[in-house]
Amino acid sequence: MTGCERVTFDAVVVGAGFAGMFMLHRLRGLGLDVRVIERGGDVGGTWYWNRYPGARCDIESMEYSYQFSDALQQQWEWSERHATQPEILSYANHVADRFDLRRDMQFDTEVLGAAFDEAACCWRLDLDSGDTVSARFCIMATGCLSSANVPDIPALDSFGGSTFHTGRWPHEPVDFTGLRVGVIGTGSSGIQAIPLIAEQAAHLTVFQRTPNYSIPAGNRPLDPESVRDIKANYAEFRRLNSLRSPAFGSRNPVGIGGSTLDATPAQRKEQFDFRWGRGGFGFLGGFDDALVNEESNNIAAEYVRERIRDTVEDPEIAERLCPRQVIGCKRICLDTNYYATFNRSNVTLVDVKSTPIRRATTFGLETTEGEFPLDSIVFATGFDAMTGALLQVNPHGRGGEPLRKKWEAGPRTFLGLTAAGFPNLFMISGPGSPSVLTNMMVSIEQHVNWVADCIAYLGQHDYSTIEARAEAEDAWVERVNAIAAPTLYPTCNSWYLGANIPGKPRVFMPHIGFPPYVERCNAAADAGYEGFTLA
Ligand code: NA7
């Protein structure tokens, strides 16, 4: 541990969501002095900020939880198949209390910048409190979906009503009773919020740019017998999940497999009917080629379009709600009564692709078709995903190189955990790792464990720094692209590609496939951190 004597902390962790919380716990276990810096007022990350009506996790609750403590997973009781935001937040609070995490956390504090001091071999972080803290290790646990995207609507300042973003929802209750509300955006957040806002508001106008595929969530109270069954063998349940590409769903019904094209129409219908009725993720699981064969994909897509046409009474509105892109290219949404909401007399659907929003006015939004009077606008317009929060802090590495410059043409990492030129900086679920294509809790724990083990190794072998090698990073970027290229993922404008943010480089950011990824991370560590320079 040479050259780093003057640091304030051994490690600084940015973010107190599920990644930052577990990172603190693991590093404390190594005897490190750690400080977590969090811009929110408490723990929970995504679940602290996304308090909009209807917010729920799309991963099932028996899986969307930590596995590092068996006592914790045995004692915590989830109530529903898909947990609500308040329930997940109370889980985060329980974990913070149980492991006494808050005493090393600093809330309501934003990290404005971070720079590697080569002479002192430490990271210096500037905080909005005016303080600077230094640490040997800087761990960015800033989340994949935490930098809110608010579209640049001309004259938005002139709007006289209230505005909200789903990802920065107020902590006080929001009451839309008697109001005319506009929701912009029909991704997961919009699709969850729209049915509930429609029930409360006097009138709801939905401004849709691209229709999305949504499958019934099939949410329900958890069956006590199935909970007992999972808890009796939780470790095995976790192990089986970790062997699957998205790291969840080992209990989802097994499909026919093979190509959709080889199945008879009756077999296809049976699979899709069953999966649609069962609800939740797993709709595409009947066959193996939904995300690699366009024709097969279109059979599944057409099935969903048929369900939309069955549900929505006005055929013209139904057609407007029918997505045309590849199904699964954007993350599939799960809903409760989304399409049926468009049968309500107080709901209007506006297609802002054919009639774009021109500007905001004092009284509402003006499209090329006319003005829509509104009292409130809800932005369900998503996030600058995967890189947004990292680039906001914009760490400066060796030679003062800003991450923004290094990533000008798209993110470059080794293992989605580290970047060449940025010693002792780790990213939890960074671009180039499976992250958003998996159960995030599983990916978070795998990353945190890898980072903690790495830091322990450095201590045991008296190394001060670890840094990804440029050639290892180049090969990794190539690998992530090569895996994604033959799939259907690059065919639409998704946030996986950064295509939702004007000007963002179009690069497929996540690594597809959890098990081979974990194998690669473990192999690097087992070989004495192959692909890294240890100094
Ligand atoms: P998403 O999935 O990025 O959805 C954002 C929505 O907002 C989507 O329908 C966008 O249309 C729409 N959008 C974005 N910018 C605009 C503008 N300028 N005008 C009109 N419409 C716009 O974010 P969510 O918060 O719903 O979900 C994010 C993830 O959180 C989700 O996948 C789950 O993992 C949980 P577009 O499709 O870009 O045309």
Side-chain angles (χ1 to χ4, degrees):
M1 311 250 170
T2 52
C4 305
E5 292 80 7
R6 295 185 301 275
V7 289
T8 330
F9 302 101
D10 295 321
V12 170
V13 178
V14 186
F18 284 124
M21 291 167 71
F22 183 43
M23 194 73 247
L24 167 61
H25 180 68
R26 275 297 320 264
L27 293 180
R28 261 190 198 165
L30 298 177
L32 265 61
D33 187 14
V34 185
R35 173 61 59 94
V36 178
I37 311 283
E38 164 60 54
R39 82 186 146 104
D42 208 335
V43 296
T46 289
W47 304 103
Y48 174 88
W49 296 103
N50 285 266
R51 296 169 184 249
Y52 60 86
R56 275 181 198 273
C57 188
D58 50 12
I59 302 290
E60 300 197 18
S61 44
M62 293 305 288
E63 302 189 42
Y64 194 79
S65 55
Y66 289 121
Q67 55 188 303
F68 71 86
S69 159
D70 192 47
L72 170 65
Q73 68 180 1
Q74 291 297 338
Q75 283 161 16
W76 183 262
E77 299 284 349
W78 294 107
S79 61
E80 294 177 78
R81 179 181 180 188
H82 298 103
T84 59
Q85 173 271 333
E87 193 169 29
I88 301 172
L89 191 58
S90 64
Y91 172 74
N93 279 298
H94 169 79
V95 174
D97 293 342
R98 188 175 180 123
F99 297 98
D100 190 18
L101 298 178
R102 287 192 186 83
R103 72 182 150 88
D104 289 320
M105 292 179 162
Q106 185 173 331
F107 297 109
D108 298 310
T109 306
E110 195 161 338
V111 175
L112 300 177
F116 186 65
D117 179 334
E118 288 182 61
C121 135
C122 69
W123 280 92
R124 295 192 194 284
L125 287 86
D126 296 324
L127 312 181
D128 66 351
S129 57
D131 295 330
T132 298
V133 291
S134 58
R136 285 190 57 213
F137 300 102
C138 176
I139 296 127
M140 302 297 290
T142 39
C144 293
L145 297 163
S146 46
S147 175
N149 167 43
V150 179
D152 193 11
I153 296 179
L156 190 55
D157 286 353
S158 67
F159 177 58
S162 47
T163 58
F164 304 90
H165 187 285
T166 49
R168 289 190 211 144
W169 203 259
H171 288 219
E172 311 73 47
V174 175
D175 187 0
F176 291 123
T177 307
L179 301 183
R180 297 158 305 174
V181 181
V183 172
I184 305 178
T186 52
S188 292
S189 305
I191 281 176
Q192 287 183 331
I194 283 164
L196 295 174
I197 296 177
E199 280 174 19
Q200 199 178 55
H203 193 90
L204 170 65
T205 308
V206 176
F207 297 90
Q208 169 190 272
R209 186 164 69 181
T210 313
N212 252 310
Y213 295 94
S214 189
I215 309 294
N219 193 42
R220 51 178 176 263
L222 277 171
D223 163 30
E225 203 171 308
S226 123
V227 171
R228 261 197 306 276
D229 189 34
I230 289 175
K231 286 192 173 180
N233 214 344
Y234 227 139
E236 180 62 3
F237 177 59
R238 300 288 198 181
R239 191 186 70 80
L240 292 174
N241 285 330
S242 76
L243 298 177
R244 297 169 62 83
S245 178
F248 67 86
S250 66
R251 290 203 164 203
N252 284 357
V254 177
I256 291 179
S259 170
T260 317
L261 305 179
D262 294 337
T264 64
Q267 284 174 316
R268 291 175 199 161
K269 183 173 174 340
E270 187 198 27
Q271 279 298 313
F272 292 135
D273 279 350
F274 167 66
R275 286 163 192 277
W276 182 268
R278 181 180 177 275
F281 278 153
F283 176 71
L284 295 178
F287 307 97
D288 294 336
D289 63 345
L291 286 172
V292 288
N293 182 320
E294 209 151 354
E295 202 182 336
S296 300
N297 186 282
N298 194 44
I299 293 171
E302 189 52 28
Y303 179 90
V304 178
R305 289 191 284 265
E306 279 305 313
R307 299 291 73 72
I308 297 171
R309 292 175 189 124
D310 289 348
T311 309
V312 179
E313 287 153 11
D314 181 327
E316 204 245 319
I317 296 174
E319 262 344 282
R320 242 185 284 161
L321 285 165
C322 280
R324 299 288 161 190
Q325 71 273 15
V326 155
I327 182 170
C329 179
K330 292 184 180 201
R331 191 177 175 107
I332 289 183
C333 304
L334 301 185
D335 74 278
T336 304
N337 299 328
Y338 175 64
Y339 294 117
T341 297
F342 293 90
N343 294 332
R344 295 176 64 105
S345 58
N346 70 332
V347 175
T348 306
L349 177 65
V350 178
D351 172 6
V352 295
K353 200 162 251 169
S354 58
T355 58
I357 296 171
R358 251 199 208 137
R359 61 183 181 116
T361 66
T362 313
F363 305 107
L365 286 172
E366 188 186 297
T367 70
T368 52
E369 192 184 34
E371 188 172 354
F372 294 85
L374 301 169
D375 301 302
S376 298
I377 299 174
V378 173
F379 291 98
T381 41
F383 303 90
D384 184 352
M386 306 194 70
T387 55
L390 291 165
L391 292 178
Q392 229 164 296
V393 173
N394 191 23
H396 286 45
R398 271 192 204 288
E401 187 193 21
L403 192 64
R404 266 187 221 152
K405 181 151 191 303
K406 180 182 167 82
W407 286 5
E408 241 168 9
R412 302 183 65 75
T413 68
F414 180 41
L415 301 175
L417 275 160
T418 57
F422 293 75
N424 289 4
L425 180 92
F426 298 98
M427 293 165 265
I428 304 301
S429 60
S433 75
S435 62
V436 292
L437 296 181
T438 65
N439 175 356
M440 281 300 294
M441 291 297 276
V442 173
S443 281
I444 282 171
E445 279 190 296
Q446 184 255 335
H447 265 195
V448 167
N449 284 325
W450 192 94
V451 171
D453 292 348
C454 171
I455 289 175
Y457 180 93
L458 297 179
Q460 285 152 12
H461 295 80
D462 219 15
Y463 287 118
S464 299
T465 58
I466 180 166
E467 182 179 348
R469 292 198 184 150
E471 62 274 17
E473 185 177 89
D474 291 345
W476 189 254
V477 171
E478 217 167 280
R479 169 183 164 130
V480 173
N481 288 331
I483 298 174
T487 70
L488 297 175
Y489 278 116
T491 63
C492 71
N493 290 328
S494 70
W495 55 257
Y496 297 141
L497 281 158
N500 63 326
I501 301 295
K504 191 167 171 173
R506 192 182 172 94
V507 173
F508 191 78
M509 294 182 280
H511 176 287
I512 301 170
F514 185 71
Y517 172 79
V518 174
E519 214 172 280
R520 187 64 185 77
C521 289
N522 292 345
D526 292 346
Y529 294 91
E530 193 184 15
F532 293 93
T533 302
L534 309 184

